Amino acid sequence: MVMSLARAELPTDPAALRAFALACQDELRAAELAVQYKILEIEKLKFQIAKLRRMQFGRSSERINRQLAQLELRLEELEAGEAEDVAKAEAAKPVALVRVRNKPTRKPLPDHLPRQEVVHQPADDGACTCPACGRGMSKLGEDVTEVLDYVPGHFQVIRHVRPKYACDACDAITQAPAPAMPTPRGRATPSLLAHLLVAKYCDHLPLYRQAEIYAREGLDLDRSTLCDWVGQAAWLLDPVVVGIQQHVFAAAKIHGDDTTVPVLTPGLGRTKTGRLWVYVRDDRPFCGEAPPAAAYFYSPDRGGERPAAHMASFTGFLQADGYSGFQAMYHPARTKPGPIIEIACWAHCRRKVFDVWEQTKSPVAKEALDRIAAIYVIEDKARFAPAAERVEHRKETAPLLEAFFTWAGATVVKLSAKSALAEAFRYILKRREALTRFVTDGRLEVDNNIAENAMRKIALGRRNYLFAGSDHGGERAAAIYTLVVTARLNGLNPEAYLKDILTRIADGHPINRIDELMPWRMASATAPQPA
């Protein structure tokens, strides 16, 4: 990347220096071409949207409305992705070589919004005495910067006023520095950025719909402006996302799950099926001290190489369903960095049997459900107890499991080999060892509900919205979900948490202290102290 080259130590040999310069130019040209390609696709989508809107005036149809929504979301993801790329390029320098699309003319913030004035006086009482000669100073003028802020329930404008002072004797001029903002040259406060992210990713409101809502309040914010803010905010938050991922995979036990998500196929106007993966670290059920966290990943398919890449550094217990991609992770040949041990899910097994009973009312399926229910009665006693106490409770579970597998093994041979119930029994019997490991280890759970709960909100929202307008948009969504869900797990309001860390990043929070921005650190800092 250009950033890595720019930060590298410059060679002193002339030939090496020329090679270094050529490498920098090649990377910048590649970045410029990528941005230009996105600009061309953005213009094409704008043309298609305008054409469909003209057709809408002639005749309204559900098909046209759906196409419009899909194209709007695709355009939104491209513009947010472009803003993210530009933010990376600007951090790398030089920015002059990276061209961006023509931005809409910046409009003044509406007069009807309430104003809050913040005056920034020069430091060390520079308004009264000249820092150069110590003589008195007179006010020369002032610079005013208006930024848009969001307070829950309404918008307001913050006027940052920076008076200028000139020395009466030596003509030296002093002024307070401009206030730090999270987005370069942006007019959005951390509170507004947090609100945009939570509305888009938690409340499932695409940015073009948010722009329509704000317009009803007399606030004309172009969708492309909102896209810029979201893309830049996502780039700023990336180190925190990486920190959460590292915390999750440092655990001795994690829960994994995946679900389908609809993603727009570029250029085809229809959706494809992407995958959203989640890995959850949650030791609270056995009174563990490690803070909970959830790491989300997006992929365009469900290939086995996806979880292998996600868990490349993980070693320990993985509780998940019977997906073959996970099964490959348990193979003894996987020795880098260490073994992953399978913990199977009784809730998943029960679901297979329940589906048969619901359709056929089979007495055999009912007996299987009753036997599994007896296991959960003991688990109710063991929930949120220390690990050693859970093992003591589960001593009652061991004979129930032994009886279940003996009965299931004798019963399955009497069923039709092709029946759904026989298939469910074979699924359970095949995973006997993985389904019984929880009995002797108090850190383990009887099922994978922890991961499934982390997917529930996404699965509910999936019915009402298109998950992403592109694969890159899916990756951005997974990153934001990592932040907001982990914040919730640690008892934080996601919007307040995002506002807090964006404020700290804008104020120049050091990258070597990124651990201070983790949700569990913020939660402990804001928790009331005992008297």
Side-chain angles (χ1 to χ4, degrees):
M1 292 296 293
V2 176
M3 186 180 294
S4 61
L5 287 173
R7 291 178 179 173
E9 196 173 316
L10 288 176
T12 55
D13 179 66
L17 189 59
R18 280 194 297 272
F20 177 80
L22 289 172
C24 286
Q25 290 176 359
D26 289 344
E27 289 205 11
L28 286 170
R29 273 195 291 268
E32 184 181 15
L33 285 173
V35 172
Q36 290 298 316
Y37 175 78
K38 286 184 178 177
I39 291 172
L40 289 173
E41 192 168 358
I42 286 168
E43 295 305 319
K44 178 183 175 183
L45 283 170
K46 286 181 177 178
F47 174 79
Q48 291 176 332
I49 289 171
K51 182 179 177 182
L52 284 172
R53 290 202 183 282
R54 287 195 298 271
M55 294 171 64
Q56 214 178 15
F57 288 124
R59 56 186 176 86
S60 177
S61 77
E62 185 177 341
R63 182 171 174 271
I64 290 177
N65 289 336
R66 178 169 177 76
Q67 277 186 292
L68 272 171
Q70 290 179 342
L71 291 177
E72 290 275 17
L73 186 55
R74 171 65 180 160
L75 179 60
E76 175 181 309
E77 299 289 13
L78 279 171
E79 290 182 328
E82 184 203 353
E84 194 173 344
D85 292 342
V86 170
K88 292 177 184 177
E90 286 184 339
K93 306 290 182 186
V95 299
L97 296 179
V98 181
R99 295 195 299 269
V100 297
R101 71 184 188 279
N102 293 327
K103 301 287 185 179
T105 304
R106 178 178 287 187
K107 301 171 185 175
L109 295 173
D111 293 333
H112 71 271
L113 292 179
R115 255 72 175 169
Q116 177 184 339
E117 190 167 289
V118 179
V119 179
H120 302 267
Q121 296 287 4
D124 302 325
D125 199 27
C128 299
T129 57
C130 176
C133 67
R135 300 285 295 275
M137 303 190 77
S138 301
K139 188 171 181 180
L140 184 64
E142 63 186 22
D143 290 333
V144 178
T145 304
E146 290 196 337
V147 295
L148 187 62
D149 187 37
Y150 178 78
V151 180
H154 69 276
F155 291 94
Q156 67 176 9
V157 175
I158 297 179
R159 300 180 76 248
H160 291 285
V161 180
R162 296 185 298 129
K164 290 182 183 178
Y165 295 92
C167 178
D168 296 333
C170 67
D171 293 331
I173 296 176
T174 185
Q175 185 181 34
M181 297 296 293
T183 57
R185 301 176 302 279
R187 294 195 300 174
T189 64
S191 179
L192 177 55
L193 292 176
H195 179 67
L196 289 176
L197 292 172
V198 169
K200 176 174 170 61
Y201 295 107
C202 294
D203 301 330
H204 321 307
L205 282 174
L207 296 180
Y208 72 90
R209 290 184 185 169
Q210 291 191 53
E212 293 170 355
I213 293 170
Y214 304 152
R216 292 200 298 267
E217 299 182 28
L219 182 58
D220 189 6
L221 283 176
D222 192 273
R223 182 210 58 251
S224 63
T225 299
L226 302 183
C227 292
D228 287 347
W229 292 346
V230 167
Q232 292 166 4
W235 175 71
L236 287 171
L237 294 167
D238 185 62
V240 186
V241 175
V242 173
I244 293 174
Q245 293 170 353
Q246 292 172 346
H247 173 74
V248 168
F249 294 122
K253 177 214 68 172
I254 60 174
H255 295 257
D257 197 14
D258 69 297
T259 190
T260 58
V261 287
V263 179
L264 192 62
T265 304
L268 299 180
R270 58 175 180 263
T271 59
K272 64 178 181 180
T273 301
R275 307 295 303 196
L276 191 69
W277 309 76
V278 68
Y279 304 93
V280 185
R281 176 179 187 173
D282 193 349
D283 297 344
R284 292 174 299 176
F286 64 88
C287 301
E289 295 182 357
Y296 289 82
F297 297 85
Y298 168 82
S299 68
D301 55 51
R302 205 191 188 198
E305 69 276 10
R306 307 300 183 181
H310 302 157
M311 293 184 283
S313 63
F314 175 69
T315 174
F317 295 103
L318 170 64
Q319 189 148 24
D321 59 25
Y323 163 55
S324 59
F326 288 141
Q327 294 296 318
M329 305 289 291
Y330 312 133
H331 195 275
R334 185 191 185 272
T335 57
K336 296 180 181 180
I340 293 181
I341 303 169
E342 178 186 13
I343 308 298
C345 172
W346 271 104
H348 194 73
C349 297
R350 181 189 180 281
R351 203 170 297 131
K352 289 178 176 292
V353 177
F354 179 81
D355 289 343
V356 175
W357 179 80
E358 192 174 42
Q359 294 175 6
T360 65
K361 303 302 179 186
S362 162
V364 176
K366 182 64 169 61
E367 183 174 351
L369 292 174
D370 291 342
R371 288 175 178 267
I372 295 172
I375 297 170
Y376 272 90
V377 168
I378 299 171
E379 279 304 299
D380 286 340
K381 304 175 188 175
R383 192 168 286 114
F384 300 110
E389 186 178 329
R390 282 155 67 96
V391 171
E392 285 299 313
H393 282 298
R394 288 169 177 173
K395 286 180 179 179
E396 303 175 37
T397 305
L400 296 180
L401 289 173
E402 183 67 30
F404 178 90
F405 283 108
T406 301
W407 169 79
T411 302
V412 70
V413 296
K414 302 175 184 178
L415 302 172
S416 170
K418 295 183 179 180
S419 68
L421 187 57
E423 184 180 340
F425 275 24
R426 286 194 296 269
Y427 178 91
I428 297 172
L429 291 167
K430 184 180 178 180
R431 290 165 176 79
R432 177 171 182 166
E433 187 176 3
L435 283 167
T436 55
R437 285 195 172 106
F438 77 98
V439 175
T440 55
D441 192 328
R443 298 170 300 171
L444 306 181
E445 300 302 315
V446 68
D447 55 39
N448 197 34
N449 285 349
I450 287 175
E452 292 187 6
N453 288 339
M455 282 294 193
R456 180 160 290 127
K457 185 170 181 62
I458 295 165
L460 291 173
R462 184 176 53 195
R463 302 173 186 172
N464 304 318
Y465 73 108
L466 192 64
F467 178 77
S470 66
D471 289 335
H472 190 49
E475 293 167 1
R476 192 181 306 112
I480 303 301
Y481 279 126
T482 296
L483 293 166
V484 298
V485 173
T486 302
R488 280 201 188 108
L489 288 173
N490 286 274
L492 294 176
N493 178 329
E495 189 167 331
Y497 168 66
L498 290 176
K499 173 188 173 182
D500 200 351
I501 60 174
L502 284 168
T503 300
R504 295 193 186 199
I505 291 171
D507 290 338
H509 189 88
I511 190 69
N512 60 352
R513 287 165 45 199
I514 203 70
D515 61 304
E516 296 175 12
L517 302 183
M518 297 298 124
W520 49 90
R521 291 288 298 273
M522 306 287 276
S524 62
T526 57
Q529 300 300 318

